[in-house]
Amino acid sequence: MIYTPKEETESRTARLKALMEKASLDGAFFHYKIDYYYLAGTMQDAILYVPLEGEPTLFVRREIRRARRESPLSQVIPIRSLKTVKDYIGNPRRVGLQLDVLPYNFVTSFHKVLGDVEVADISPLINDLRKIKSPFEISLMEKAAVIAKKVYEKIPEVLREGMMEIELGGILEAYAKTLGHEGLLRVRSQNFEAYSWHILSGKVGSVVSQMNSPMGGLGMSPAFPVGASRKKIRRGEQIMIDFGICYHGYQVDETRMFAIGSIPELFAKAYDACREIHYRVLDKALEGATCAELFSYSVDLADKLGFGDNYLGYAPHKVNFLAHGIGIELSEAPFIATKMDYPIEEGMTFAIEPKMVFPRQGCCGIENTVLMEKGRYRVLSDIDERIIIVD
Amino acid sequence: MIYTPKEETESRTARLKALMEKASLDGAFFHYKIDYYYLAGTMQDAILYVPLEGEPTLFVRREIRRARRESPLSQVIPIRSLKTVKDYIGNPRRVGLQLDVLPYNFVTSFHKVLGDVEVADISPLINDLRKIKSPFEISLMEKAAVIAKKVYEKIPEVLREGMMEIELGGILEAYAKTLGHEGLLRVRSQNFEAYSWHILSGKVGSVVSQMNSPMGGLGMSPAFPVGASRKKIRRGEQIMIDFGICYHGYQVDETRMFAIGSIPELFAKAYDACREIHYRVLDKALEGATCAELFSYSVDLADKLGFGDNYLGYAPHKVNFLAHGIGIELSEAPFIATKMDYPIEEGMTFAIEPKMVFPRQGCCGIENTVLMEKGRYRVLSDIDERIIIVD
């Protein structure tokens, strides 16, 4: 197992404190485990307090020995109840909490524990805090990308006519787990669960669902209405495989196209257009364009390539993003999307996914997890980008 | 796919309204998808409004056609923004929201949309609403139990010396998916993710983690510190396999013991004690004891059987529940636990899981999903309860 080094939590905390100071916060609590994993290196049941001045303290309900082993913080304290937290934190005037995700009842009862303190929403800062990845974080994403590459290389071995989408998903998931994939992907939203097995074949690729994605798939039931289904994969269909991987909490997201026997020409052409958009947008990102500019550039490109009606879904189901940042959450800053007026900066990682959907026909697309470096970009997921046709 | 029948949503809504009336609510909104799936039969992105008088309305952001196909409700309306909801609901004085799970920011911004309305927490009613299962719900759990049985029958075929816990988990997960398992389990809590692959072998069975469980396992990393790990399964070790299944949103939860070659005698004996506790508690439940009484009865039994120090974990990591209700959430009412002063009633389903943990040695236990019927109980998961020893 890899533990988060002390230099990591120290530099992350220093950056957080700078953001807190700007936001006039005397302290901040982190009780959403994804957020305190970033700052404390553990997902044991805990709450983290970061004061503007002084050392952070991790208050651990369960289990203290693991938290101490995993976290490089020097103050890791066992507690039985959140009520005792108050005794350790002095008298901050104004503290931050993740009001975007923490349940209403938790926030109001914890506010009572804190007493006469102003509570502010720190969630906008979290986006800023995490959007530049450190070399340590990138090393974990590189390891996730190696797993992804092996999973995609496995597909031609196991894909066969007549298997169900979900069957293929299960086989790939099982293989990925042997390589270190943790099995769950993570999104900040409560009503959208992430999953790896987004495998859509033939017409199913045009089915929309509750997800903010150009294509949802049939899924397994009304209770799981997205992703791979029990539909059998047939010869001559385009098969889109969008399979996310998580390693030590760090995710990569990839999409490739497959077929048995042959792929319909429409989808081969549309896939070429996706690849062209993918790389031309990356080139333009190097010039310093804002994410909103990159998005509208991609829309124009899709139009010029003759796929304006299909790009990122068909009306009225089009989505308004081409890329989502990725790291310990599957979808985080930056977003190549409408309204995003910042450029892609050095150290940002994002999954760029130009996709096309044809009503009642299906979908295709490519997706790579990309790191912006100094003056160049690097595709972390080094996976064959040709359409793979198996016999 | 199986859709929720109209009689189901009607009878559930009628029961909800009776609870709402007692709580002086003129209406209730449901925006947590597990909750509105129960009342509307769909998990499309939506918010459900149930007025005390009149028909419920499901407001759907995405995707309206699927929501209409899946939901038996007669009022299923597309919306672009939650702001438009206000136009449809009249002028309720007091409405319920799931304040236990909905994020603070959502609640406050939605309250603004509603304007001058009192917002009350409806989450305590949800527990009451769902604790008695209908024959339709039980039929889905029976189907989940059939999948579980097949998965457990597969284990002797695939278990082999030297395989990693997570490898076995992946194989079982893949197989379960081919049978209709949906891949994700669901819990109401934000910081605890459920997963199927809770496979703990040898000493690893005594490792505690952040979960409220007698044993957590090593997991895959500090970012996924529970369940199956990369530890290799060895000959002569006790292997506990706790593998949940989800079918059309309905879950069952089971645990059985396995070994390669032989199982240490301590664990064979402790497992017998677990089985005895399991069935004697069920017998006592038929007599109408409260859940708190059942729990303390089980603690006394464990003491008498000589496993008081190991029952439900070792100090200070013991947990205070023997059984959790189960349905569309993996953990819901009823709980056989301290402080629960209600009896097990006809129509309740619960997973009963007496388990023993021995420090630095490991764990064992049994778990079944059980339905309380009129004057008798029925184990839904009809799986061989003997310890399975493979060569």
Side-chain angles (χ1 to χ4, degrees), chain A residues 31 33 62 66 101 104 121 182 186 190-191 193 213 217-218 221, chain B residues 31 33 62 66 101-102 182 186 190-191 193 211 213 217-218 221:
Chain A
H31 190 47
K33 71 175 179 178
R62 187 175 174 110
R66 282 182 89 153
V101 286
Y104 184 87
D121 186 13
E182 299 180 338
R186 280 155 175 157
Q190 177 170 58
N191 275 345
E193 296 152 311
S213 160
L218 283 177
S221 81
Chain B
H31 190 48
K33 72 174 178 179
R62 188 176 174 109
R66 281 182 88 153
V101 285
L102 293 176
E182 299 180 339
R186 280 154 174 156
Q190 178 170 58
N191 274 345
E193 297 152 310
M211 251 195 331
S213 159
L218 283 177
S221 82

PDB file of all heavy atoms in Angstrom, chain A residues 31 33 62 66 101 104 121 182 186 190-191 193 213 217-218 221, chain B residues 31 33 62 66 101-102 182 186 190-191 193 211 213 217-218 221:
ATOM      1  N   HIS A  31     -15.564  16.813   6.551  1.00  0.00           N
ATOM      2  CA  HIS A  31     -16.230  15.605   7.032  1.00  0.00           C
ATOM      3  C   HIS A  31     -16.689  14.714   5.881  1.00  0.00           C
ATOM      4  O   HIS A  31     -17.288  13.670   6.087  1.00  0.00           O
ATOM      5  CB  HIS A  31     -17.421  15.973   7.918  1.00  0.00           C
ATOM      6  CG  HIS A  31     -18.010  14.806   8.629  1.00  0.00           C
ATOM      7  ND1 HIS A  31     -17.254  13.871   9.310  1.00  0.00           N
ATOM      8  CD2 HIS A  31     -19.297  14.392   8.765  1.00  0.00           C
ATOM      9  CE1 HIS A  31     -18.047  12.948   9.828  1.00  0.00           C
ATOM     10  NE2 HIS A  31     -19.288  13.228   9.501  1.00  0.00           N
ATOM     11  N   LYS A  33     -15.494  12.205   3.150  1.00  0.00           N
ATOM     12  CA  LYS A  33     -14.241  11.448   3.205  1.00  0.00           C
ATOM     13  C   LYS A  33     -13.319  11.686   2.020  1.00  0.00           C
ATOM     14  O   LYS A  33     -12.103  11.608   2.158  1.00  0.00           O
ATOM     15  CB  LYS A  33     -14.500   9.954   3.412  1.00  0.00           C
ATOM     16  CG  LYS A  33     -15.075   9.212   2.253  1.00  0.00           C
ATOM     17  CD  LYS A  33     -15.151   7.725   2.602  1.00  0.00           C
ATOM     18  CE  LYS A  33     -15.762   6.964   1.450  1.00  0.00           C
ATOM     19  NZ  LYS A  33     -15.819   5.532   1.715  1.00  0.00           N
ATOM     20  N   ARG A  62     -13.364   5.947  14.086  1.00  0.00           N
ATOM     21  CA  ARG A  62     -13.038   4.536  13.867  1.00  0.00           C
ATOM     22  C   ARG A  62     -12.269   4.457  12.566  1.00  0.00           C
ATOM     23  O   ARG A  62     -12.745   5.016  11.580  1.00  0.00           O
ATOM     24  CB  ARG A  62     -14.358   3.755  13.781  1.00  0.00           C
ATOM     25  CG  ARG A  62     -14.206   2.237  13.715  1.00  0.00           C
ATOM     26  CD  ARG A  62     -15.585   1.615  13.769  1.00  0.00           C
ATOM     27  NE  ARG A  62     -15.535   0.180  13.565  1.00  0.00           N
ATOM     28  CZ  ARG A  62     -15.786  -0.729  14.521  1.00  0.00           C
ATOM     29  NH1 ARG A  62     -16.130  -0.358  15.711  1.00  0.00           N
ATOM     30  NH2 ARG A  62     -15.723  -2.011  14.255  1.00  0.00           N
ATOM     31  N   ARG A  66      -5.483   2.575  12.390  1.00  0.00           N
ATOM     32  CA  ARG A  66      -5.325   2.676  10.927  1.00  0.00           C
ATOM     33  C   ARG A  66      -5.156   4.122  10.495  1.00  0.00           C
ATOM     34  O   ARG A  66      -4.356   4.432   9.617  1.00  0.00           O
ATOM     35  CB  ARG A  66      -6.525   2.052  10.223  1.00  0.00           C
ATOM     36  CG  ARG A  66      -6.431   0.554  10.210  1.00  0.00           C
ATOM     37  CD  ARG A  66      -7.584  -0.049   9.483  1.00  0.00           C
ATOM     38  NE  ARG A  66      -7.327  -0.192   8.065  1.00  0.00           N
ATOM     39  CZ  ARG A  66      -7.916  -1.113   7.313  1.00  0.00           C
ATOM     40  NH1 ARG A  66      -8.794  -1.948   7.848  1.00  0.00           N
ATOM     41  NH2 ARG A  66      -7.653  -1.203   6.036  1.00  0.00           N
ATOM     42  N   VAL A 101     -22.166  19.078  -0.058  1.00  0.00           N
ATOM     43  CA  VAL A 101     -22.398  17.633   0.063  1.00  0.00           C
ATOM     44  C   VAL A 101     -22.873  17.188   1.450  1.00  0.00           C
ATOM     45  O   VAL A 101     -23.565  16.181   1.571  1.00  0.00           O
ATOM     46  CB  VAL A 101     -21.137  16.798  -0.298  1.00  0.00           C
ATOM     47  CG1 VAL A 101     -20.897  16.789  -1.788  1.00  0.00           C
ATOM     48  CG2 VAL A 101     -19.912  17.283   0.456  1.00  0.00           C
ATOM     49  N   TYR A 104     -28.044  18.172   5.451  1.00  0.00           N
ATOM     50  CA  TYR A 104     -28.609  19.299   6.191  1.00  0.00           C
ATOM     51  C   TYR A 104     -28.590  19.037   7.703  1.00  0.00           C
ATOM     52  O   TYR A 104     -28.146  19.877   8.483  1.00  0.00           O
ATOM     53  CB  TYR A 104     -30.040  19.557   5.714  1.00  0.00           C
ATOM     54  CG  TYR A 104     -30.669  20.756   6.347  1.00  0.00           C
ATOM     55  CD1 TYR A 104     -30.501  22.023   5.801  1.00  0.00           C
ATOM     56  CD2 TYR A 104     -31.421  20.643   7.516  1.00  0.00           C
ATOM     57  CE1 TYR A 104     -31.063  23.143   6.397  1.00  0.00           C
ATOM     58  CE2 TYR A 104     -31.983  21.750   8.119  1.00  0.00           C
ATOM     59  CZ  TYR A 104     -31.803  23.002   7.554  1.00  0.00           C
ATOM     60  OH  TYR A 104     -32.354  24.093   8.152  1.00  0.00           O
ATOM     61  N   ASP A 121     -19.669  28.213   3.457  1.00  0.00           N
ATOM     62  CA  ASP A 121     -19.495  27.107   2.511  1.00  0.00           C
ATOM     63  C   ASP A 121     -18.087  27.115   1.939  1.00  0.00           C
ATOM     64  O   ASP A 121     -17.686  28.062   1.271  1.00  0.00           O
ATOM     65  CB  ASP A 121     -20.521  27.250   1.382  1.00  0.00           C
ATOM     66  CG  ASP A 121     -20.492  26.049   0.439  1.00  0.00           C
ATOM     67  OD1 ASP A 121     -19.868  25.030   0.804  1.00  0.00           O
ATOM     68  OD2 ASP A 121     -21.105  26.134  -0.641  1.00  0.00           O
ATOM     69  N   GLU A 182      -9.886  -0.565  -7.583  1.00  0.00           N
ATOM     70  CA  GLU A 182     -10.562  -0.689  -6.287  1.00  0.00           C
ATOM     71  C   GLU A 182     -12.041  -1.015  -6.396  1.00  0.00           C
ATOM     72  O   GLU A 182     -12.675  -1.321  -5.385  1.00  0.00           O
ATOM     73  CB  GLU A 182     -10.323   0.578  -5.469  1.00  0.00           C
ATOM     74  CG  GLU A 182      -8.828   0.740  -5.234  1.00  0.00           C
ATOM     75  CD  GLU A 182      -8.428   1.949  -4.432  1.00  0.00           C
ATOM     76  OE1 GLU A 182      -9.207   2.919  -4.368  1.00  0.00           O
ATOM     77  OE2 GLU A 182      -7.318   1.939  -3.891  1.00  0.00           O
ATOM     78  N   ARG A 186     -15.892   7.441  -7.901  1.00  0.00           N
ATOM     79  CA  ARG A 186     -16.514   8.386  -6.968  1.00  0.00           C
ATOM     80  C   ARG A 186     -16.894   9.709  -7.606  1.00  0.00           C
ATOM     81  O   ARG A 186     -16.071  10.335  -8.267  1.00  0.00           O
ATOM     82  CB  ARG A 186     -15.569   8.642  -5.802  1.00  0.00           C
ATOM     83  CG  ARG A 186     -15.631   7.507  -4.793  1.00  0.00           C
ATOM     84  CD  ARG A 186     -14.385   7.386  -4.003  1.00  0.00           C
ATOM     85  NE  ARG A 186     -14.538   6.359  -2.975  1.00  0.00           N
ATOM     86  CZ  ARG A 186     -13.520   5.729  -2.426  1.00  0.00           C
ATOM     87  NH1 ARG A 186     -12.292   6.004  -2.798  1.00  0.00           N
ATOM     88  NH2 ARG A 186     -13.724   4.814  -1.494  1.00  0.00           N
ATOM     89  N   GLN A 190     -25.052  13.108  -5.116  1.00  0.00           N
ATOM     90  CA  GLN A 190     -25.727  12.091  -4.329  1.00  0.00           C
ATOM     91  C   GLN A 190     -26.561  11.140  -5.182  1.00  0.00           C
ATOM     92  O   GLN A 190     -26.622   9.946  -4.911  1.00  0.00           O
ATOM     93  CB  GLN A 190     -26.651  12.828  -3.362  1.00  0.00           C
ATOM     94  CG  GLN A 190     -27.491  11.951  -2.510  1.00  0.00           C
ATOM     95  CD  GLN A 190     -28.175  12.771  -1.444  1.00  0.00           C
ATOM     96  OE1 GLN A 190     -28.913  13.704  -1.742  1.00  0.00           O
ATOM     97  NE2 GLN A 190     -27.917  12.448  -0.203  1.00  0.00           N
ATOM     98  N   ASN A 191     -27.194  11.658  -6.210  1.00  0.00           N
ATOM     99  CA  ASN A 191     -28.135  10.855  -6.988  1.00  0.00           C
ATOM    100  C   ASN A 191     -27.515  10.198  -8.221  1.00  0.00           C
ATOM    101  O   ASN A 191     -28.210   9.527  -8.973  1.00  0.00           O
ATOM    102  CB  ASN A 191     -29.340  11.706  -7.399  1.00  0.00           C
ATOM    103  CG  ASN A 191     -30.400  11.746  -6.298  1.00  0.00           C
ATOM    104  OD1 ASN A 191     -30.354  10.938  -5.373  1.00  0.00           O
ATOM    105  ND2 ASN A 191     -31.333  12.666  -6.401  1.00  0.00           N
ATOM    106  N   GLU A 193     -24.555   7.648  -9.258  1.00  0.00           N
ATOM    107  CA  GLU A 193     -23.503   6.744  -8.812  1.00  0.00           C
ATOM    108  C   GLU A 193     -22.608   6.440 -10.005  1.00  0.00           C
ATOM    109  O   GLU A 193     -23.095   6.148 -11.096  1.00  0.00           O
ATOM    110  CB  GLU A 193     -24.127   5.440  -8.323  1.00  0.00           C
ATOM    111  CG  GLU A 193     -25.015   5.621  -7.098  1.00  0.00           C
ATOM    112  CD  GLU A 193     -26.107   4.581  -7.023  1.00  0.00           C
ATOM    113  OE1 GLU A 193     -26.811   4.365  -8.036  1.00  0.00           O
ATOM    114  OE2 GLU A 193     -26.261   3.983  -5.949  1.00  0.00           O
ATOM    115  N   SER A 213     -24.888  12.725 -19.469  1.00  0.00           N
ATOM    116  CA  SER A 213     -23.971  12.108 -20.421  1.00  0.00           C
ATOM    117  C   SER A 213     -24.714  12.044 -21.758  1.00  0.00           C
ATOM    118  O   SER A 213     -25.937  11.928 -21.776  1.00  0.00           O
ATOM    119  CB  SER A 213     -23.624  10.694 -19.924  1.00  0.00           C
ATOM    120  OG  SER A 213     -23.141   9.902 -20.995  1.00  0.00           O
ATOM    121  N   GLY A 217     -27.317   4.380 -21.863  1.00  0.00           N
ATOM    122  CA  GLY A 217     -27.417   2.918 -21.930  1.00  0.00           C
ATOM    123  C   GLY A 217     -28.675   2.433 -21.246  1.00  0.00           C
ATOM    124  O   GLY A 217     -29.388   3.199 -20.594  1.00  0.00           O
ATOM    125  N   LEU A 218     -28.942   1.139 -21.406  1.00  0.00           N
ATOM    126  CA  LEU A 218     -30.164   0.569 -20.837  1.00  0.00           C
ATOM    127  C   LEU A 218     -30.022   0.296 -19.348  1.00  0.00           C
ATOM    128  O   LEU A 218     -30.970   0.419 -18.590  1.00  0.00           O
ATOM    129  CB  LEU A 218     -30.495  -0.761 -21.529  1.00  0.00           C
ATOM    130  CG  LEU A 218     -31.115  -0.675 -22.928  1.00  0.00           C
ATOM    131  CD1 LEU A 218     -31.291  -2.090 -23.485  1.00  0.00           C
ATOM    132  CD2 LEU A 218     -32.454   0.044 -22.870  1.00  0.00           C
ATOM    133  N   SER A 221     -32.000  -2.273 -14.756  1.00  0.00           N
ATOM    134  CA  SER A 221     -33.383  -2.211 -14.278  1.00  0.00           C
ATOM    135  C   SER A 221     -33.729  -0.747 -14.038  1.00  0.00           C
ATOM    136  O   SER A 221     -32.846   0.111 -14.092  1.00  0.00           O
ATOM    137  CB  SER A 221     -33.525  -2.997 -12.970  1.00  0.00           C
ATOM    138  OG  SER A 221     -33.087  -2.218 -11.864  1.00  0.00           O
TER     139      SER A 221
ATOM    140  N   HIS B  31     -36.272  13.855  -2.981  1.00  0.00           N
ATOM    141  CA  HIS B  31     -35.241  14.151  -3.973  1.00  0.00           C
ATOM    142  C   HIS B  31     -34.052  13.211  -3.842  1.00  0.00           C
ATOM    143  O   HIS B  31     -33.086  13.330  -4.588  1.00  0.00           O
ATOM    144  CB  HIS B  31     -34.787  15.611  -3.837  1.00  0.00           C
ATOM    145  CG  HIS B  31     -33.902  16.060  -4.969  1.00  0.00           C
ATOM    146  ND1 HIS B  31     -34.221  15.835  -6.289  1.00  0.00           N
ATOM    147  CD2 HIS B  31     -32.719  16.706  -4.989  1.00  0.00           C
ATOM    148  CE1 HIS B  31     -33.263  16.318  -7.060  1.00  0.00           C
ATOM    149  NE2 HIS B  31     -32.339  16.843  -6.298  1.00  0.00           N
ATOM    150  N   LYS B  33     -32.786   9.602  -4.577  1.00  0.00           N
ATOM    151  CA  LYS B  33     -33.375   8.696  -5.570  1.00  0.00           C
ATOM    152  C   LYS B  33     -33.870   7.379  -4.995  1.00  0.00           C
ATOM    153  O   LYS B  33     -34.825   6.799  -5.500  1.00  0.00           O
ATOM    154  CB  LYS B  33     -32.427   8.482  -6.750  1.00  0.00           C
ATOM    155  CG  LYS B  33     -31.221   7.641  -6.472  1.00  0.00           C
ATOM    156  CD  LYS B  33     -30.460   7.413  -7.779  1.00  0.00           C
ATOM    157  CE  LYS B  33     -29.216   6.611  -7.519  1.00  0.00           C
ATOM    158  NZ  LYS B  33     -28.464   6.337  -8.743  1.00  0.00           N
ATOM    159  N   ARG B  62     -34.409  14.567 -16.220  1.00  0.00           N
ATOM    160  CA  ARG B  62     -33.826  13.719 -17.260  1.00  0.00           C
ATOM    161  C   ARG B  62     -33.987  12.278 -16.816  1.00  0.00           C
ATOM    162  O   ARG B  62     -33.604  11.972 -15.678  1.00  0.00           O
ATOM    163  CB  ARG B  62     -32.338  14.078 -17.411  1.00  0.00           C
ATOM    164  CG  ARG B  62     -31.626  13.428 -18.594  1.00  0.00           C
ATOM    165  CD  ARG B  62     -30.205  13.966 -18.650  1.00  0.00           C
ATOM    166  NE  ARG B  62     -29.428  13.286 -19.678  1.00  0.00           N
ATOM    167  CZ  ARG B  62     -29.028  13.839 -20.822  1.00  0.00           C
ATOM    168  NH1 ARG B  62     -29.318  15.079 -21.076  1.00  0.00           N
ATOM    169  NH2 ARG B  62     -28.326  13.158 -21.695  1.00  0.00           N
ATOM    170  N   ARG B  66     -38.215   7.785 -20.248  1.00  0.00           N
ATOM    171  CA  ARG B  66     -37.934   6.618 -19.387  1.00  0.00           C
ATOM    172  C   ARG B  66     -38.711   6.713 -18.088  1.00  0.00           C
ATOM    173  O   ARG B  66     -39.234   5.717 -17.590  1.00  0.00           O
ATOM    174  CB  ARG B  66     -36.437   6.520 -19.092  1.00  0.00           C
ATOM    175  CG  ARG B  66     -35.695   5.928 -20.265  1.00  0.00           C
ATOM    176  CD  ARG B  66     -34.240   5.794 -19.972  1.00  0.00           C
ATOM    177  NE  ARG B  66     -33.921   4.535 -19.325  1.00  0.00           N
ATOM    178  CZ  ARG B  66     -32.733   3.934 -19.426  1.00  0.00           C
ATOM    179  NH1 ARG B  66     -31.785   4.496 -20.145  1.00  0.00           N
ATOM    180  NH2 ARG B  66     -32.508   2.796 -18.824  1.00  0.00           N
ATOM    181  N   VAL B 101     -30.326  13.212   4.545  1.00  0.00           N
ATOM    182  CA  VAL B 101     -29.400  12.912   3.448  1.00  0.00           C
ATOM    183  C   VAL B 101     -29.216  14.072   2.458  1.00  0.00           C
ATOM    184  O   VAL B 101     -28.164  14.174   1.832  1.00  0.00           O
ATOM    185  CB  VAL B 101     -29.832  11.660   2.634  1.00  0.00           C
ATOM    186  CG1 VAL B 101     -29.535  10.390   3.410  1.00  0.00           C
ATOM    187  CG2 VAL B 101     -31.278  11.736   2.193  1.00  0.00           C
ATOM    188  N   LEU B 102     -30.209  14.919   2.294  1.00  0.00           N
ATOM    189  CA  LEU B 102     -30.072  15.969   1.277  1.00  0.00           C
ATOM    190  C   LEU B 102     -29.031  16.989   1.713  1.00  0.00           C
ATOM    191  O   LEU B 102     -28.989  17.407   2.867  1.00  0.00           O
ATOM    192  CB  LEU B 102     -31.421  16.647   1.037  1.00  0.00           C
ATOM    193  CG  LEU B 102     -32.481  15.752   0.395  1.00  0.00           C
ATOM    194  CD1 LEU B 102     -33.811  16.485   0.286  1.00  0.00           C
ATOM    195  CD2 LEU B 102     -32.042  15.259  -0.980  1.00  0.00           C
ATOM    196  N   GLU B 182     -26.938  -6.123  -9.872  1.00  0.00           N
ATOM    197  CA  GLU B 182     -26.743  -4.813 -10.503  1.00  0.00           C
ATOM    198  C   GLU B 182     -25.379  -4.195 -10.239  1.00  0.00           C
ATOM    199  O   GLU B 182     -25.028  -3.193 -10.860  1.00  0.00           O
ATOM    200  CB  GLU B 182     -27.876  -3.873 -10.079  1.00  0.00           C
ATOM    201  CG  GLU B 182     -29.197  -4.454 -10.553  1.00  0.00           C
ATOM    202  CD  GLU B 182     -30.422  -3.639 -10.223  1.00  0.00           C
ATOM    203  OE1 GLU B 182     -30.362  -2.810  -9.305  1.00  0.00           O
ATOM    204  OE2 GLU B 182     -31.444  -3.842 -10.886  1.00  0.00           O
ATOM    205  N   ARG B 186     -26.517  -0.287  -1.761  1.00  0.00           N
ATOM    206  CA  ARG B 186     -26.816   1.103  -1.388  1.00  0.00           C
ATOM    207  C   ARG B 186     -27.039   1.282   0.098  1.00  0.00           C
ATOM    208  O   ARG B 186     -27.826   0.566   0.703  1.00  0.00           O
ATOM    209  CB  ARG B 186     -28.051   1.577  -2.140  1.00  0.00           C
ATOM    210  CG  ARG B 186     -27.693   1.972  -3.566  1.00  0.00           C
ATOM    211  CD  ARG B 186     -28.847   1.855  -4.483  1.00  0.00           C
ATOM    212  NE  ARG B 186     -28.501   2.366  -5.805  1.00  0.00           N
ATOM    213  CZ  ARG B 186     -29.114   1.989  -6.920  1.00  0.00           C
ATOM    214  NH1 ARG B 186     -30.093   1.116  -6.870  1.00  0.00           N
ATOM    215  NH2 ARG B 186     -28.757   2.494  -8.068  1.00  0.00           N
ATOM    216  N   GLN B 190     -23.288   8.827   3.768  1.00  0.00           N
ATOM    217  CA  GLN B 190     -22.440   9.439   2.752  1.00  0.00           C
ATOM    218  C   GLN B 190     -21.012   8.900   2.774  1.00  0.00           C
ATOM    219  O   GLN B 190     -20.390   8.727   1.734  1.00  0.00           O
ATOM    220  CB  GLN B 190     -22.414  10.932   3.057  1.00  0.00           C
ATOM    221  CG  GLN B 190     -21.549  11.739   2.159  1.00  0.00           C
ATOM    222  CD  GLN B 190     -21.798  13.213   2.393  1.00  0.00           C
ATOM    223  OE1 GLN B 190     -21.645  13.714   3.505  1.00  0.00           O
ATOM    224  NE2 GLN B 190     -22.203  13.895   1.357  1.00  0.00           N
ATOM    225  N   ASN B 191     -20.491   8.641   3.954  1.00  0.00           N
ATOM    226  CA  ASN B 191     -19.082   8.285   4.075  1.00  0.00           C
ATOM    227  C   ASN B 191     -18.821   6.778   4.080  1.00  0.00           C
ATOM    228  O   ASN B 191     -17.685   6.350   4.203  1.00  0.00           O
ATOM    229  CB  ASN B 191     -18.480   8.920   5.330  1.00  0.00           C
ATOM    230  CG  ASN B 191     -18.002  10.349   5.062  1.00  0.00           C
ATOM    231  OD1 ASN B 191     -17.874  10.746   3.902  1.00  0.00           O
ATOM    232  ND2 ASN B 191     -17.752  11.104   6.105  1.00  0.00           N
ATOM    233  N   GLU B 193     -19.438   3.488   1.814  1.00  0.00           N
ATOM    234  CA  GLU B 193     -19.903   2.930   0.551  1.00  0.00           C
ATOM    235  C   GLU B 193     -20.069   1.432   0.738  1.00  0.00           C
ATOM    236  O   GLU B 193     -19.195   0.765   1.283  1.00  0.00           O
ATOM    237  CB  GLU B 193     -18.856   3.180  -0.538  1.00  0.00           C
ATOM    238  CG  GLU B 193     -18.634   4.652  -0.823  1.00  0.00           C
ATOM    239  CD  GLU B 193     -17.230   4.933  -1.325  1.00  0.00           C
ATOM    240  OE1 GLU B 193     -16.261   4.468  -0.683  1.00  0.00           O
ATOM    241  OE2 GLU B 193     -17.111   5.619  -2.337  1.00  0.00           O
ATOM    242  N   MET B 211     -15.729   1.108   8.974  1.00  0.00           N
ATOM    243  CA  MET B 211     -17.113   0.645   8.941  1.00  0.00           C
ATOM    244  C   MET B 211     -17.625   0.247  10.306  1.00  0.00           C
ATOM    245  O   MET B 211     -16.886  -0.317  11.097  1.00  0.00           O
ATOM    246  CB  MET B 211     -17.174  -0.622   8.082  1.00  0.00           C
ATOM    247  CG  MET B 211     -17.833  -0.430   6.781  1.00  0.00           C
ATOM    248  SD  MET B 211     -18.270  -1.976   5.965  1.00  0.00           S
ATOM    249  CE  MET B 211     -17.104  -3.188   6.491  1.00  0.00           C
ATOM    250  N   SER B 213     -18.815  -2.324  11.628  1.00  0.00           N
ATOM    251  CA  SER B 213     -18.899  -3.764  11.421  1.00  0.00           C
ATOM    252  C   SER B 213     -17.877  -4.401  12.356  1.00  0.00           C
ATOM    253  O   SER B 213     -16.842  -3.793  12.653  1.00  0.00           O
ATOM    254  CB  SER B 213     -18.562  -4.080   9.959  1.00  0.00           C
ATOM    255  OG  SER B 213     -18.156  -5.423   9.816  1.00  0.00           O
ATOM    256  N   GLY B 217     -11.644  -5.771   7.370  1.00  0.00           N
ATOM    257  CA  GLY B 217     -10.755  -6.282   6.325  1.00  0.00           C
ATOM    258  C   GLY B 217      -9.711  -5.255   5.957  1.00  0.00           C
ATOM    259  O   GLY B 217      -9.768  -4.099   6.389  1.00  0.00           O
ATOM    260  N   LEU B 218      -8.749  -5.684   5.144  1.00  0.00           N
ATOM    261  CA  LEU B 218      -7.660  -4.787   4.756  1.00  0.00           C
ATOM    262  C   LEU B 218      -8.073  -3.830   3.655  1.00  0.00           C
ATOM    263  O   LEU B 218      -7.634  -2.691   3.602  1.00  0.00           O
ATOM    264  CB  LEU B 218      -6.462  -5.607   4.247  1.00  0.00           C
ATOM    265  CG  LEU B 218      -5.595  -6.292   5.289  1.00  0.00           C
ATOM    266  CD1 LEU B 218      -4.517  -7.119   4.592  1.00  0.00           C
ATOM    267  CD2 LEU B 218      -4.962  -5.265   6.221  1.00  0.00           C
ATOM    268  N   SER B 221      -6.537  -0.163  -0.312  1.00  0.00           N
ATOM    269  CA  SER B 221      -5.638   0.981  -0.117  1.00  0.00           C
ATOM    270  C   SER B 221      -6.242   1.862   0.969  1.00  0.00           C
ATOM    271  O   SER B 221      -7.380   1.641   1.380  1.00  0.00           O
ATOM    272  CB  SER B 221      -5.512   1.782  -1.421  1.00  0.00           C
ATOM    273  OG  SER B 221      -6.609   2.660  -1.579  1.00  0.00           O
TER     274      SER B 221
END
